[in-house]
Amino acid sequence: DTGVSQDPRHKITKRGQNVTFRCDPISEHNRLYWYRQTLGQGPEFLTYFQNEAQLEKSRLLSDRFSAERPKGSFSTLEIQRTEQGDSAMYLCASSLAQLAGGTGELFFGEGSRLTVL
Amino acid sequence: AQTVTQSQPEMSVQEAETVTLSCTYDTSENNYYLFWYKQPPSRQMILVIRQEAYKQQNATENRFSVNFQKAAKSFSLKISDSQLGDTAMYFCACNNAGNMLTFGGGTRLMVKP
């Protein structure tokens, strides 16, 4: 396994367009997370899944944002009607739940950088 | 709700010297983990060290060690024999029962030759 992979790595779009990011977690991990990171700041939690169930969503996740993990494997994060304030790095991470033997460590992908013009 | 605070936006250290990065946190959980993550420029975030809150012994990983003061809710990272490759953003983080990590704002560390 090569770790968490994210696609695309960079996306430039015009305000008002829709964008979709994909995340492929480490295969045996049952939890998948999305974070947003702006320049020079720490990552901010957006949402997470256990298997295919979306268990928690941040207030940061407005109704323009939607995330799915249809088969409990890869996940997509879609942003509709993008705004300039959406410009950020979108990080995906995966982990094994503690009840399944996990240690709480999250394994991160390299991120998808979004620039909204 | 959890909060994590890193009071040092930037730090610098000479190569081969020791530096300590500060972190304080607040959580209502009884059982939790604390982490230090490293994010090199334009590269992905990787785990540096992990501390289980119920363990009194401070975690150590080679040149990296922590000073965990549970009562004070303090979790500092000490880097010994600093190397140029240690230059990065360092994030302190705390998880909750749902494994959701809350991150601090980060400390930018520059190791100078």
Side-chain angles (χ1 to χ4, degrees):
Chain A
D1 194 354
T2 56
V4 179
S5 62
Q6 293 188 243
D7 184 70
R9 295 288 312 283
H10 299 95
K11 178 71 176 178
I12 300 173
T13 190
K14 292 182 178 179
R15 185 162 50 98
Q17 298 295 305
N18 299 342
V19 296
T20 299
F21 300 114
R22 176 181 169 121
C23 172
D24 288 89
I26 293 172
S27 57
E28 62 266 28
H29 285 179
N30 54 357
R31 288 193 170 174
L32 185 148
Y33 306 79
W34 286 100
Y35 282 80
R36 182 177 72 184
Q37 185 178 26
T38 52
L39 198 61
Q41 302 298 314
E44 298 170 295
F45 170 76
L46 293 178
T47 188
Y48 92 95
F49 294 83
Q50 179 154 317
N51 301 315
E52 66 275 10
Q54 189 173 17
L55 296 187
E56 193 162 346
K57 292 194 290 186
S58 162
R59 288 191 300 271
L60 294 174
L61 214 65
S62 75
D63 56 5
R64 297 185 297 106
F65 288 70
S66 62
E68 294 183 342
R69 194 183 183 197
K71 297 181 180 178
S73 56
F74 74 91
S75 175
T76 58
L77 176 68
E78 181 183 15
I79 309 174
Q80 296 182 327
R81 306 181 302 281
T82 52
E83 301 173 356
Q84 289 184 326
D86 296 332
S87 295
M89 178 76 84
Y90 290 85
L91 298 174
C92 178
S94 69
S95 75
L96 196 59
Q98 285 176 255
L99 288 177
T103 60
E105 178 183 355
L106 268 59
F107 295 79
F108 284 86
E110 295 190 66
S112 293
R113 182 172 297 283
L114 173 65
T115 301
V116 182
L117 302 176
Chain B
Q2 296 179 127
T3 59
V4 178
T5 302
Q6 293 179 249
S7 59
Q8 304 153 316
E10 293 187 3
M11 295 277 286
S12 64
V13 62
Q14 290 297 131
E15 196 176 6
E17 293 189 348
T18 295
V19 64
T20 298
L21 308 183
S22 301
C23 172
T24 58
Y25 64 94
D26 193 16
T27 180
S28 57
E29 301 287 334
N30 291 321
N31 187 21
Y32 54 92
Y33 290 89
L34 295 163
F35 304 84
W36 279 97
Y37 277 85
K38 170 185 177 181
Q39 189 176 40
S42 301
R43 293 180 61 187
Q44 70 196 100
M45 191 139 7
I46 57 173
L47 180 69
V48 174
I49 198 165
R50 173 182 60 242
Q51 174 79 41
E52 296 160 13
Y54 63 87
K55 288 189 176 179
Q56 291 185 338
Q57 186 173 5
N58 289 325
T60 299
E61 288 287 341
N62 301 314
R63 298 182 296 108
F64 299 88
S65 61
V66 299
N67 182 4
F68 175 43
Q69 302 289 328
K70 190 172 184 178
K73 294 186 177 177
S74 169
F75 183 60
S76 61
L77 174 70
K78 185 171 81 171
I79 306 174
S80 304
D81 185 25
S82 298
Q83 300 176 0
L84 297 178
D86 295 333
T87 292
M89 284 289 288
Y90 286 82
F91 295 98
C92 178
C94 177
N95 82 336
N96 65 6
N99 282 158
M100 185 189 81
L101 282 185
T102 300
F103 287 86
T107 296
R108 184 179 304 279
L109 176 67
M110 174 72 71
V111 180
K112 298 179 178 178

